[in-house]
Amino acid sequence: MPAPGVSLRHSLIEDAQALIAGTLFVALSVVLLRHAGLLTGGTAGIALLVHYATDLAFGLVYFVISVPFYAIALHAMGLEFTLKTFVAVALLSLFTEVLPMLIVIDRLDPVFAAIMGGLLAGAGMLMLIRHHASLGGIGIVALLLQRRKGWRAGHIQMAADGLILAAAFAWVSPLLVGLSILGAFAFNLVIAVNHRPGRYFGM
């Protein structure tokens, strides 16, 4: 527990660094997964599927898919959460298009890409969650159910990811889907182990 008189709330600067650092972690994860031809779960997984099927820019697809969920976020989670989530989604959409201009990958083992991509995305998402933000879409629904029903956000996200990855067989080889499942497991393991209601008190 914090000492008497110590604020539990994060400052504006602390929130800003978390939004930037968290989305950069997730963006790097997307770059690794996309370079290896892999997928992930959540809204990013849907956006990657659309990207592979249509060759549309991932960042644009991700931003558009996230729009309908803002109404849910505003009604259920409040204005602050919704605004932070909007900023996080916009940053991720931007970073996923900019990072490939800054990074040149000559060789990338797909197993490493899956595991490291999952861990990076989980760490980035954890930063956002702890600063009362998300990356939109299914993540909003998972956080809402955790808050209202006490269900673990990581478990909800894992179930949704399973459905998304099952649909991936139409566009991705079984081997790559299997590696994508490995990455999704790494991601959800980070969230499930490190994000437990009542353990972290900062907002």
Side-chain angles (χ1 to χ4, degrees):
M1 294 294 292
V6 176
S7 174
L8 291 174
R9 297 189 63 83
H10 293 117
S11 68
L12 182 60
I13 293 178
E14 290 171 337
D15 282 340
Q17 71 81 29
L19 290 176
I20 294 172
T23 51
L24 271 173
F25 271 45
V26 179
L28 182 55
S29 166
V30 172
V31 170
L32 293 177
L33 295 175
R34 188 166 56 183
H35 187 84
L38 302 176
L39 290 159
T40 186
T43 312
I46 298 174
L48 277 173
L49 276 177
V50 175
H51 168 70
Y52 289 149
T54 66
D55 206 31
L56 289 172
F58 169 87
L60 175 62
V61 173
Y62 180 77
F63 186 84
V64 171
I65 290 176
S66 298
V67 170
F69 291 92
Y70 294 129
I72 300 174
L74 184 61
H75 174 73
M77 307 294 286
L79 180 61
E80 178 187 356
F81 176 88
T82 304
L83 289 176
K84 288 181 179 179
T85 296
F86 177 82
V87 171
V89 169
L91 286 174
L92 180 61
S93 299
L94 174 64
F95 290 156
T96 52
E97 300 305 317
V98 171
L99 283 183
M101 304 177 189
L102 305 176
I103 301 172
V104 177
I105 302 176
D106 292 327
R107 179 181 179 275
L108 180 62
D109 182 83
V111 176
F112 174 80
I115 296 174
M116 196 64 201
L119 294 177
L120 282 170
M125 180 65 77
L126 190 61
M127 292 183 200
L128 297 176
I129 291 173
R130 288 183 168 179
H131 286 260
H132 199 50
S134 80
L135 284 174
I138 297 171
I140 292 176
V141 178
L143 288 174
L144 174 61
L145 291 175
Q146 176 169 283
R147 174 173 291 189
R148 293 196 170 180
K149 301 291 186 180
W151 300 347
R152 296 275 287 278
H155 295 167
I156 299 168
Q157 189 81 44
M158 191 176 295
D161 290 350
L163 295 176
I164 294 170
L165 291 171
F169 282 101
W171 291 279
V172 182
S173 71
L175 174 60
L176 293 180
V177 172
L179 291 177
S180 299
I181 292 173
L182 176 63
F185 176 78
F187 167 81
N188 285 290
L189 183 63
V190 172
I191 301 298
V193 169
N194 293 283
H195 184 62
R196 299 183 182 182
R199 172 170 287 187
Y200 187 81
F201 298 99
M203 292 297 291

